[in-house]
Amino acid sequence: MLVNFFHGLRDAGIPVTTRELLDLLAGMQQHVAFGSIDDFYYFSRTCLVKDEKYFDRFDRAFGLHFKDLEALDDVIEAIIPDDWLRAEFMKQLSDEDREKIESLGGLEKLIEEFKKRLEEQKERHQGGSKWIGTGGTSPFGQQGYHPEGIRVGPNGGNRKAVKVWDKREFRNLDDSVELGTRNIKVALRRLRKFARTGAADELDLDDTIRSTARNAGLLDIKMVPERHNAVKVLLFFDVGGSMDPHVRVCEELFSAARTEFKHMEYFYFHNFIYESVWRNNVRRHNERLPLLDVMHKYSHDYKVIFVGDAAMSPYEIAQPGGSVEHWNEEAGEVWMRRLKQTYEKVIWINPVPQEEWEYTQSTAMTHKLLEGHMYPLTLRGLEEAMGYLSK
C-alpha cells in the first residue's frame, strides 16, 4: 500500500526518493504513527515532503489515494491491516470497553453488523435505534448515544465510539497562490550571498575549539563578525489607484524583504517610473528624490525590484507628459532603459495573476521592456525571480 502511495506522490509531481520511503517504512515499523490516520498523515508528510511548497500537492495525492479505499474492507486493511494490529487495538481499550464490545459478539461481529446495515440502508437517517445516522441510539452513526458503537463522520457528541471513520480534509497550500509574510521569506531566501562584516561580536565555536586545542587546553576564545545576507536590493513600490486592492500582500512582501535583506533601500512611484521617486507618501509632492541621484548613490551591484500591477494607459509608458500626476519631460520607458543600463539585474513583481496579463496592453509593454523578467507575486513566481537575481 505504501509503495502505491509513494508512486502516487511522484505522479503528483512531488520529488520523493526511495530513501525517504525507507525512512517512512522504518518509522512505521517502530510505531511512530500507529492506529491513527492523523498521525500517519503528519508523519508521512514529514518524511516525504522536504519543501512546504509541495504541501498542497501532497494533500491532494493523500486524499486521492485514500479516497480509492471506498469499501469498508479496504479501509480496515489500510488502517488495521493484520490480526496482530487488531489485537493491539483491543489492548488500548479498558475492561469496561471490552465487555461492551463482547456484548455485541466482539469486534469482528461489530464490524460485520456495520457493513450489513450500511449495505441495507438507502438514505440518510436521523435518530432511531437501528439505521446508521445521527442523534440516535444505534451503535453506528454520529452525535448519538450508544456505548458500543462505530462513529461515522466527524465530531462525535458523546465520545463513546469504538472506532472512528472520519473524512480527512486538509488545508491547501500551493505554489501558485498569493502568500503571507512567512512564505515570502522562504522564497526570498533564494537570493542570498552571505558575508561577515563589522565588529567581531559572535562566537566562532569551531575556531575556539581548534585554538584551545593548539594552546594545550588553555581557553582561547575566537570571535567573528555576524554572518548576514550581503545582497543589496533597491525596491520600488507602485502605490495608489489600481494598486489599492494589493496593499496587504505588498505590505507582507515589504515586511519580509526588510527582514531578509540587510542592505535594502525602498522607494515609491505611481504607475510607472519617471525622473523622481519618494520615500514618504504623505509628502510625496514636496520631498521627491531625483532618480538620477538614486542611480548615482547606490552602486551597480544592487538588484532592482519593481512591485506593481503595470496597469495604466500605454501613453504613460511611451510618451513625454504621459504621467497622470505631473509633466514628465521624458517618457517612462526612457527612464526604465537607463535603470537597466545602470544595474545588471532589474525585475518586475506583479500581484495580478499571470493569466490576466495579456488583457492589459501596458502590462505587455512593461514585460517587453524588462525582457521577460516579470514574475507573478506567488511562491513559484518569487522563487523564479530570486533565482534569476542570484545568477
Side-chain angles (χ1 to χ4, degrees):
M1 183 185 70
L2 290 181
V3 173
N4 292 335
F5 179 44
F6 173 78
H7 287 299
L9 295 178
R10 280 195 163 182
D11 292 341
I14 302 173
V16 291
T17 66
T18 306
R19 174 70 265 171
E20 290 156 356
L21 175 61
L22 292 176
D23 290 340
L24 176 61
L25 291 171
M28 296 298 291
Q29 290 175 349
Q30 296 298 319
H31 293 183
V32 174
F34 176 80
S36 167
I37 196 67
D38 261 344
D39 292 347
F40 175 72
Y41 165 78
Y42 287 112
F43 180 61
S44 62
R45 193 181 72 175
T46 300
C47 290
L48 300 173
V49 183
K50 301 306 181 185
D51 192 325
E52 60 189 2
K53 74 179 182 181
Y54 295 115
F55 279 0
D56 177 61
R57 298 184 192 181
F58 177 84
D59 289 350
R60 285 180 283 180
F62 188 95
L64 181 63
H65 180 76
F66 287 99
K67 182 180 179 181
D68 290 339
L69 304 176
E70 294 176 350
L72 186 61
D73 283 333
D74 294 332
V75 178
I76 294 170
E77 183 178 353
I79 299 177
I80 311 178
D82 300 305
D83 291 339
W84 70 265
L85 190 52
R86 296 192 186 203
E88 190 71 23
F89 167 72
M90 293 293 291
K91 290 180 182 177
Q92 309 302 316
L93 303 177
S94 66
D95 293 339
E96 181 182 1
D97 289 333
R98 291 195 194 95
E99 291 176 3
K100 290 174 181 177
I101 290 177
E102 292 302 322
S103 70
L104 286 181
L107 180 61
E108 296 292 342
K109 180 66 176 178
L110 185 65
I111 293 174
E112 288 298 324
E113 185 65 22
F114 173 77
K115 291 165 58 180
K116 179 180 177 182
R117 294 193 192 181
L118 192 62
E119 291 172 357
E120 293 176 359
Q121 183 171 328
K122 304 301 181 183
E123 60 185 3
R124 183 185 183 277
H125 185 70
Q126 170 72 31
S129 60
K130 176 180 180 180
W131 296 119
I132 301 166
T134 57
T137 57
S138 164
F140 314 102
Q142 182 188 25
Q143 295 180 348
Y145 181 83
H146 195 292
E148 307 91 14
I150 290 179
R151 188 181 58 160
V152 181
N155 303 326
N158 287 289
R159 302 183 182 277
K160 292 287 186 178
V162 171
K163 198 77 185 77
V164 178
W165 310 110
D166 213 357
K167 178 183 178 183
R168 299 298 307 143
E169 292 183 354
F170 298 102
R171 182 176 63 88
N172 290 340
L173 174 63
D174 201 346
D175 59 2
S176 62
V177 299
E178 293 182 358
L179 28 89
T181 303
R182 179 179 177 273
N183 293 323
I184 292 175
K185 289 179 181 179
V186 171
L188 295 182
R189 286 171 189 165
R190 290 200 62 181
L191 183 56
R192 280 182 166 183
K193 182 180 179 183
F194 287 110
R196 295 188 183 273
T197 58
D201 55 5
E202 185 176 287
L203 176 66
D204 187 340
L205 183 59
D206 291 340
D207 195 15
T208 297
I209 293 173
R210 286 192 298 267
S211 299
T212 301
R214 287 194 298 265
N215 205 25
L218 185 63
L219 183 61
D220 186 7
I221 296 177
K222 299 294 183 181
M223 305 294 289
V224 293
E226 180 185 1
R227 183 172 178 259
H228 62 270
N229 191 354
V231 170
K232 302 175 182 178
V233 174
L234 290 179
L235 197 55
F236 294 88
F237 283 99
D238 181 8
V239 291
S242 59
M243 281 297 293
D244 287 346
H246 309 295
V247 167
R248 181 189 61 81
V249 72
C250 288
E251 287 177 340
E252 292 172 348
L253 175 61
F254 179 60
S255 175
R258 292 196 72 172
T259 302
E260 184 62 31
F261 303 118
K262 183 175 182 179
H263 303 287
M264 189 194 81
E265 302 293 336
Y266 66 93
F267 306 93
Y268 297 107
F269 67 98
H270 180 59
N271 283 359
F272 208 75
I273 194 73
Y274 299 110
E275 70 279 357
S276 62
V277 291
W278 59 91
R279 287 185 181 273
N280 189 322
N281 283 301
V282 176
R283 297 193 292 271
R284 63 192 179 94
H285 294 294
N286 302 320
E287 297 182 3
R288 287 180 174 261
L289 301 170
L291 187 58
L292 283 176
D293 288 354
V294 173
M295 295 163 62
H296 290 152
K297 180 176 181 180
Y298 300 105
S299 57
H300 299 176
D301 56 346
Y302 273 80
K303 317 290 185 181
V304 179
I305 302 174
F306 285 90
V307 181
D309 60 0
M312 67 202 86
S313 298
Y315 62 78
E316 293 183 61
I317 299 175
Q319 299 294 327
S323 171
V324 295
E325 291 196 322
H326 72 288
W327 177 265
N328 52 297
E329 296 288 344
E330 296 178 292
E333 64 179 0
V334 173
W335 287 102
M336 181 61 76
R337 290 195 178 98
R338 285 182 180 142
L339 275 169
K340 286 177 56 61
Q341 292 170 358
T342 302
Y343 300 99
E344 182 181 357
K345 298 291 180 68
V346 181
I347 67 170
W348 191 290
I349 304 294
N350 197 327
V352 175
Q354 190 170 0
E355 59 269 18
E356 299 178 15
W357 294 356
E358 61 182 285
Y359 302 116
T360 307
Q361 184 179 353
S362 59
T363 304
M365 294 171 65
T366 305
H367 191 274
K368 184 177 180 180
L369 274 173
L370 273 294
E371 299 178 348
H373 296 298
M374 178 181 285
Y375 304 90
L377 188 44
T378 63
L379 181 57
R380 180 185 299 170
L382 284 176
E383 286 185 340
E384 291 176 354
M386 297 306 107
Y388 166 72
L389 292 179
S390 63
K391 293 179 181 177

